[in-house]
Amino acid sequence: MITAAEQPLHPAPASPPPAAPLTVALAKGALLQDSVRRFAAAGLDFSAILDPENRQLMVPSACGGARALLVRNADVPVYVAYGQAQLGVVGFDVLQEHQLPVAQLVDLGFGGCRMSVAVKASSPYRRAADLPAHCRIASKFTRCAEAYFESLDLPVEVIHLAGSVELGPITGMSEAIVDLVASGRTLRDNGLIAIEDLFHSTARLVGHPLALRLDDGRLQAIVERIRAVSRAAVPA
């Protein structure tokens, strides 16, 4: 039996608790495959999320030190802004539309497209400024559309549509649309043409500002690896 006098004066400190796994929000759809490849090149393997049999929405990395949340593109900055994910990959278009308080860290270079104003090919309009005042503009991206036409000092009515905005001009509901354009095939197939670009969009690595400030170095190391890989992936 150990007496009080025999008790050690300075007990050994308890082992520190294991670090919480890093959480990354990844967007379903067009950005997912390239996002997984970019993280794999930086040392985090989320390839299980690409398995067609996978039905999990939270998938651990192969090393077990991180996990990926599979969410809709527009929800990525929400999870990051509210601290449920420390990092995320999302299109610049979503960041411009939703204006959430996340840190933009790296332009990843993939997922390139344009936010454009488009009209019927048969219309007389060839610049956004040619559109008549108080005309209707259909868009999923109402904040971007409103800000752009305000910058032109052109008063318009912006109509929010959740999908198939091309039908706006086709049916006569709107004079124009503001939407993402990649190859332009959908516009051409529906008799529309892009007449002006608002901005170019690519995938961005974003982070939770407080998590970055309190980082012990692990988060910054991943960001730097992704930045280096992304620079190498950009053609000269």
Side-chain angles (χ1 to χ4, degrees):
M1 180 176 176
I2 300 176
T3 66
E6 294 171 323
Q7 291 283 354
L9 295 177
H10 301 288
S15 299
L22 171 71
T23 303
V24 178
L26 298 180
K28 301 175 183 178
L31 300 182
L32 183 59
Q33 206 164 61
D34 283 324
S35 299
V36 169
R37 288 195 188 112
R38 195 59 54 89
F39 273 95
L44 290 178
D45 182 2
F46 295 122
S47 56
I49 212 167
L50 299 176
D51 184 341
E53 299 300 315
N54 174 64
R55 295 295 179 270
Q56 291 182 304
L57 298 176
M58 181 158 38
V59 177
S61 64
C63 68
R67 59 191 179 186
L69 306 180
L70 187 59
V71 302
R72 293 185 65 177
N73 195 26
D75 291 339
V76 169
V78 180
Y79 279 93
V80 175
Y82 281 88
Q84 304 310 306
Q86 290 78 53
L87 295 174
V89 176
V90 65
F92 180 67
D93 55 290
V94 173
L95 298 175
Q96 288 293 92
E97 178 65 18
H98 295 286
Q99 298 288 318
L100 286 164
V102 299
Q104 294 190 45
L105 303 172
V106 183
D107 183 344
L108 299 171
F110 57 80
C113 53
R114 297 169 288 135
M115 186 71 73
S116 300
V117 180
V119 297
K120 289 176 70 172
S122 59
S123 82
Y125 312 119
R126 288 300 175 266
R127 298 182 308 147
D130 294 337
L131 288 162
H134 307 292
C135 72
R136 293 189 292 265
I137 310 294
S139 185
K140 302 182 190 76
F141 302 91
T142 53
R143 186 193 296 265
C144 290
E146 287 168 355
Y148 181 68
F149 283 99
E150 283 175 11
S151 75
L152 296 179
D153 198 23
L154 179 62
V156 298
E157 178 187 353
V158 178
I159 303 170
H160 181 266
L161 291 178
S164 300
V165 294
E166 295 83 5
L167 283 170
I170 292 171
T171 61
M173 184 174 70
S174 69
E175 291 288 347
I177 64 174
V178 170
D179 202 18
L180 290 176
V181 177
S183 68
R185 179 175 176 178
T186 302
L187 292 181
R188 291 193 298 273
D189 288 351
N190 288 282
L192 305 179
I193 57 169
I195 58 172
E196 201 129 10
D197 293 339
L198 281 66
F199 54 80
H200 184 71
S201 177
T202 51
R204 306 297 168 94
L205 179 69
V206 296
H208 182 256
L210 183 59
L212 291 164
R213 285 200 297 272
L214 299 179
D215 179 39
D216 60 3
R218 182 176 58 144
L219 199 55
Q220 191 59 41
I222 293 168
V223 171
E224 289 304 324
R225 288 200 294 271
I226 290 177
R227 181 175 285 116
V229 171
S230 299
R231 283 175 180 156
V234 175

